[in-house]
Amino acid sequence: MESIDDLDFSKTYTYADYYSWKFEERVELFKGNVHLMGVNPGTNHQQVLGNIACELGNFLEGKETEVLTAPLDVRLVDKSIKDEDITTIVQPDIIVFCDKNTLDDRGGIGSPSIVVEILLHGKNDKEIKLKFDLYEEFGIKEYWIVRLDEQSLTQYILNEKGKYVGKRPLTAGDIVTTELIPDFRLAMTDVFHKFELKYYYSPYQEISLQ
């Protein structure tokens, strides 16, 4: 498929379809439903993404755990790892793979250990509702949500019942830690290093088949 305009929005799609598409627009699939991603997340978003990814990457240098950033396809596996059976493909802002078996040459295959989403000013329904439910359903152990307007980071930890439990939001003066990466410490001052909040409306658009 050469153009996104050729998509039939009455259909649901698989990774086999997704991988064959030739158009430039970035999309995600949620249970086969197409969601168009924004083309420019903005300076604030990229500054914070870089700060977190660099701190994680520097700490994990030489270790088995790997941290990668968007754009990277993460295929969340339900029935099987066959392309035609995968209907959920996401591109989290930051992805931590503690098990390298969940990585191949096309990106993530299976559930990573930690995903981080940085919320733009404006519409965030996808991250707050849809992705929260998907990440919980597919057993991603930790989901971190960073809110630029509040300069905060909230960690959702998967409990023994397979449900996310949110910790107290972390703000200036707090330290981010995780049991999945022993001894890792991330100061919130480093998360928002050189950060100056600039309000704007996100170019994010969403196409849903629901």
Side-chain angles (χ1 to χ4, degrees):
M1 195 172 296
E2 301 293 333
S3 170
I4 196 168
D5 294 330
D6 295 330
L7 287 175
D8 180 353
F9 296 118
S10 67
K11 290 180 57 178
T12 57
Y13 294 94
T14 70
Y15 182 66
D17 301 312
Y18 174 98
Y19 195 67
S20 71
W21 296 338
K22 305 301 182 184
F23 50 78
E24 295 183 356
E25 291 88 348
R26 289 173 58 201
V27 301
E28 297 174 297
L29 290 184
F30 299 169
K31 300 293 185 69
N33 295 329
V34 178
H35 291 257
L36 181 64
M37 303 178 69
V39 294
N40 178 19
T43 303
N44 289 156
H45 180 281
Q46 294 304 94
Q47 283 176 331
V48 170
L49 184 154
N51 290 342
I52 297 173
C54 283
E55 292 290 331
L56 282 164
N58 289 338
F59 182 84
L60 294 170
E61 182 70 28
K63 297 180 172 64
E64 286 299 311
T65 297
E66 187 162 355
V67 57
L68 296 171
T69 63
L72 182 79
D73 290 338
V74 177
R75 288 155 282 158
L76 299 179
V77 177
D78 186 7
K79 298 177 182 178
S80 79
I81 63 172
K82 294 180 180 178
D83 289 355
E84 58 269 25
D85 289 333
I86 295 174
T87 59
T88 298
I89 301 99
V90 293
Q91 293 194 8
D93 289 319
I94 301 171
I95 318 105
V96 177
F97 299 91
C98 292
D99 179 359
K100 287 195 174 182
N101 290 324
T102 54
L103 272 173
D104 65 15
D105 60 347
R106 291 188 287 178
I109 176 67
S111 297
S113 300
I114 301 172
V115 294
V116 183
E117 298 283 6
I118 301 165
L119 302 192
L120 298 168
H121 179 68
K123 188 168 185 177
N124 293 304
D125 289 353
K126 185 168 71 167
E127 285 78 10
I128 296 295
K129 297 178 182 178
L130 300 179
K131 281 193 171 181
F132 184 100
D133 291 342
L134 284 175
Y135 294 162
E136 182 181 75
E137 177 182 344
F138 283 95
I140 295 174
K141 294 178 180 178
E142 294 193 17
Y143 178 24
W144 301 2
I145 293 180
V146 179
R147 291 178 169 82
L148 296 180
D149 53 356
E150 298 176 2
Q151 296 191 35
S152 69
L153 186 153
T154 303
Q155 293 169 287
Y156 293 91
I157 313 297
L158 201 70
N159 67 16
E160 64 278 1
K161 296 181 180 179
K163 297 295 183 182
Y164 278 138
V165 177
K167 300 176 69 174
R168 174 182 67 83
L170 302 175
T171 56
D174 289 326
I175 302 293
V176 184
T177 63
T178 169
E179 293 182 0
L180 299 179
I181 309 176
D183 301 323
F184 175 72
R185 293 171 61 83
L186 172 61
M188 286 298 295
T189 52
D190 290 332
V191 171
F192 290 95
H193 179 59
K194 295 184 179 179
F195 176 86
E196 180 181 351
L197 185 62
K198 301 175 181 67
Y199 285 99
Y200 64 94
Y201 286 101
S202 164
Y204 168 80
Q205 294 178 329
E206 179 179 293
I207 296 176
S208 175
L209 303 185
Q210 292 179 334

